Amino acid sequence: MRLLHTMLRVGDLDRSIAFYTDILGMKLLRRQDYPEGRFTLAFVGYQPESEGAVLELTHNWDTASYELGNGYGHIALGVPDAYAACEAIRAAGGKVVREAGPMKHGTTVIAFVDDPDGYKIELIQRD
């Protein structure tokens, strides 16, 4: 077995695709409309689905927004430099909600950004 994807429900699919591709540097891997079900699926990631896990962005045509609930945590992305990543994300119009710096109870450098729907994305600095 292997992890294939994580699904996020999004209110504005084009806005979300732009965030994940233009700001976080992922690629749009595929997109499919399902008119009978009134939804669209878009898959984004850093590599092909055959090589690693990706994100499935689900847009239900009749739903403009969602409540995130209290069970969701975050998506984590490895980055070579969390400080530079925050600057690049901010310069591209992204929202940094926790500046890069060491974890509260550790030394790992992390940061957090929000996607357009408010989903948290953790940036973890990797050497």
Side-chain angles (χ1 to χ4, degrees):
M1 289 187 215
R2 75 174 181 90
L3 182 63
L4 298 177
H5 65 261
T6 298
M7 186 270 271
L8 300 175
R9 290 183 176 91
V10 300
D12 180 328
L13 185 58
D14 291 330
R15 178 184 70 181
S16 293
I17 290 171
F19 173 80
Y20 284 100
T21 59
D22 297 343
I23 294 178
L24 294 186
M26 294 182 185
K27 293 179 178 77
L28 176 61
L29 303 171
R30 60 186 168 109
R31 179 180 177 154
Q32 175 84 38
D33 290 330
Y34 296 86
E36 298 80 24
R38 299 192 50 74
F39 68 94
T40 302
L41 302 180
F43 291 80
V44 296
Y46 292 109
Q47 56 205 2
E49 292 173 79
S50 61
E51 295 177 19
V54 301
L55 291 178
E56 173 188 337
L57 306 176
T58 298
H59 177 245
N60 294 297
W61 298 353
D62 301 316
T63 306
S65 65
Y66 294 92
E67 292 183 26
L68 297 185
N70 61 6
Y72 175 79
H74 61 269
I75 298 164
L77 302 178
V79 299
D81 182 335
Y83 299 93
C86 284
E87 289 305 315
I89 288 167
R90 187 180 295 103
K95 181 179 178 185
V96 176
V97 295
R98 195 260 198 207
E99 294 294 334
M103 295 174 45
K104 185 176 182 180
H105 300 290
T107 58
T108 302
V109 175
I110 64 170
F112 279 89
V113 300
D114 278 355
D115 90 345
D117 289 281
Y119 292 110
K120 300 284 183 236
I121 300 164
E122 181 180 20
L123 307 176
I124 302 173
Q125 187 165 298
R126 299 273 199 200
D127 295 327

